Amino acid sequence: MSLKWVYLSISFLSVVHRDVAKQPCDDESLIKKNGKLSREDIEDLISIDNQSQIKMCLIVLGKDPLETEIAELLWRDLVKVYTTADDIPEDELQLLGWISKGIPASDFMNLSLTDIETIASFGKWRNYSKEQVMSLKQAIEDQWSYKGPSDFSSYDLAALGQVLCSFNKSHIAAIKPFAYKVAAADISNLVNCPQEIIREFALLATSRDAFGDPSGWTAIQIALIGCVISGLDSVRDIQPDAFEGLAASSMQCLPNNVLQAMSIEQLSHLSLSAVNALTHAQLSSLDREQIRAVEETAKTLGSALNDGCCFTSRNAAWSTVTLIAYLQLSTLIP
Ligand SMILES: *[C@@H]1O[C@H](CO)[C@@H](O)[C@H](O)[C@H]1NC(C)=O
Ligand SMILES: *[C@@H]1O[C@H](CO)[C@@H](O)[C@H](O)[C@H]1NC(C)=O
Ligand SMILES: *[C@@H]1O[C@H](CO)[C@@H](O)[C@H](O)[C@H]1NC(C)=O
Ligand SMILES: CC(=O)N[C@H]1CO[C@H](CO)[C@@H](O)[C@@H]1O
């Protein structure tokens, strides 16, 4: 992650300071396309002739979602540079971003995944097909054969991210509750994760070594747990004011049936940003009283914001500070 930023900054500076030698991926018109690239745009960008520029090209080309066909072509070009997928250096694999959506399922088995940073880059949401995810999971299991779910540290869990959704129910159950607790924020927004997996995470969350009984959860804990609340037997067990902590980024992974199961009081404690993040489909799954509760928040808090009141932004700053302090404490205290 940090490596990527250092690289981005360096390459950005080089764009600014060196406009004489035209580099293949420096082209601003390419950067401005936001992933809407054509075959012609990407031709010869990743090739042996331009090997010194590959890292920069990967960063620029993979930063936005790509059409599958374009991602596949870029991947094929990269394999060609190294002859086989096995020989692509991990520091380049880590920069693939959305290009990885173009990796054929069978090629995942060839990838070198010895660095946890490489696994972390494949653990991000890239809308992989089922075959791709299964193959990726297999490759990780093969290369981590010495490590089972009960050995996973919080760091491993955070890196695996979306890959956890392809694990067996029993694998998730074997994770140590404390490791889950420390990684909770990294697992709070998993996309399209099977309900049975989320249920296992919710069981871990309610363990005494994690967050304990849901009736005692606070807003800060809800901020960390996020969508995993949808694996509880009943979301109504959570105190209404704890919902103030539910992040806007967690709204997208809350299934309609969980929203429908929430009480009016719980819904009225959602933050303005969480309410604003509700999709049209989510809103229309609510009944009339529930919608009124949500609209009330949008009206009162929304108008306070329009009046220039500092309430929301101060609140956000406060909760970020608290969250960071809390995360540091929970990592330091064994
Ligand atoms: C992956 O490995 C297999 C077997 O080692 C090899 O036949 C195949 O060509 C490799 N695929 C790529 C894309 O390198
Ligand atoms: C994910 O990929 C599928 C097909 O592979 C596509 O239909 C769907 O729109 C994609 N979703 C997102 C959010 O990109
Ligand atoms: C995962 O679970 C299925 C059935 O639930 C089982 O057939 C399969 O062997 C399990 N895989 C692993 C790797 O344990
Ligand atoms: C900067 C650089 O080396 N660009 C080269 C990239 O590759 C194409 C074709 O392979 C060349 O035409 C560029 O000159």
Side-chain angles (χ1 to χ4, degrees):
M1 188 61 99
S2 55
L3 187 75
K4 189 159 143 185
W5 282 110
V6 169
Y7 199 82
L8 263 176
S9 324
I10 293 173
S11 31
F12 182 72
L13 285 175
S14 67
V15 176
V16 173
H17 292 293
R18 202 162 22 101
D19 47 16
V20 210
K22 198 80 188 140
Q23 303 299 332
C25 288
D26 284 2
D27 198 350
E28 268 196 48
S29 62
L30 199 61
I31 297 175
K32 282 196 188 127
K33 292 205 168 168
N34 295 326
K36 298 196 176 45
L37 301 164
S38 66
R39 269 169 180 270
E40 292 72 39
D41 289 331
I42 59 163
E43 210 170 352
D44 286 332
L45 287 181
I46 296 184
S47 69
I48 294 188
D49 302 338
N50 293 325
Q51 199 159 5
S52 63
Q53 293 294 307
I54 285 181
K55 282 189 177 158
M56 185 179 179
C57 286
L58 295 178
I59 292 172
V60 170
L61 298 168
K63 79 178 172 36
D64 294 304
L66 296 162
E67 276 175 49
T68 306
E69 184 206 5
I70 299 293
E72 283 169 356
L73 287 171
L74 288 168
W75 173 251
R76 229 174 288 163
D77 286 346
L78 184 64
V79 173
K80 234 181 274 167
V81 172
Y82 292 97
T83 317
T84 70
D86 313 58
D87 293 326
I88 301 175
E90 290 197 46
D91 61 349
E92 291 186 12
L93 293 178
Q94 289 164 19
L95 302 177
L96 286 175
W98 285 95
I99 297 172
S100 64
K101 171 83 176 122
I103 303 179
S106 57
D107 284 11
F108 278 99
M109 298 302 290
N110 295 48
L111 303 181
S112 170
L113 302 168
T114 62
D115 185 342
I116 187 86
E117 291 291 329
T118 314
I119 291 173
S121 66
F122 286 109
K124 296 216 166 65
W125 164 249
R126 301 293 181 209
N127 197 16
Y128 293 138
S129 68
K130 208 178 172 116
E131 293 72 32
Q132 285 176 307
V133 174
M134 292 319 284
S135 182
L136 170 61
K137 179 196 147 210
Q138 191 61 51
I140 291 173
E141 278 181 351
D142 290 353
Q143 298 185 40
W144 270 14
S145 55
Y146 58 94
K147 215 176 210 185
S150 59
D151 308 311
F152 288 165
S153 66
S154 54
Y155 201 56
D156 295 332
L157 293 175
L160 287 166
Q162 287 287 144
V163 179
L164 291 166
C165 297
S166 61
F167 275 62
N168 262 15
K169 212 168 86 167
S170 52
H171 287 159
I172 304 296
I175 291 170
K176 293 225 166 63
F178 186 73
Y180 159 75
K181 182 186 188 180
V182 179
D186 296 286
I187 295 170
S188 64
N189 292 326
L190 298 180
V191 184
N192 290 348
C193 214
Q195 183 60 16
E196 59 168 26
I197 298 295
I198 295 296
R199 281 188 71 85
E200 292 300 331
F201 278 126
L203 278 174
L204 291 174
T206 54
S207 152
R208 270 180 34 196
D209 292 334
F211 300 107
D213 195 88
S215 62
W217 289 356
T218 63
I220 292 173
Q221 290 173 332
I222 291 290
L224 296 171
I225 298 164
C227 286
V228 168
I229 63 167
S230 55
L232 294 172
D233 287 334
S234 169
V235 278
R236 294 229 183 183
D237 294 342
I238 301 170
Q239 295 296 324
D241 56 0
F243 276 92
E244 284 162 16
L246 195 60
S249 54
S250 291
M251 300 312 282
Q252 57 160 355
C253 45
L254 276 191
N256 291 348
N257 64 326
V258 173
L259 285 165
Q260 284 164 346
M262 283 172 66
S263 70
I264 302 300
E265 227 195 325
Q266 287 177 324
L267 283 168
S268 59
H269 274 92
L270 288 175
S271 69
L272 179 61
S273 58
V275 165
N276 285 340
L278 285 167
T279 64
H280 185 73
Q282 284 175 320
L283 276 175
S284 47
S285 74
L286 299 177
D287 68 29
R288 197 177 301 169
E289 263 191 281
Q290 288 180 308
I291 289 180
R292 202 174 305 142
V294 165
E295 277 176 353
E296 198 60 31
T297 301
K299 243 191 304 185
T300 13
L301 294 181
S303 63
L305 194 65
N306 288 340
D307 290 349
C309 175
C310 38
F311 171 73
T312 314
S313 60
R314 251 179 53 190
N315 227 20
W318 176 85
S319 49
T320 310
V321 169
T322 318
L323 204 68
I324 291 169
Y326 179 82
L327 285 172
Q328 284 176 343
L329 276 179
S330 60
T331 347
L332 291 177
I333 299 170

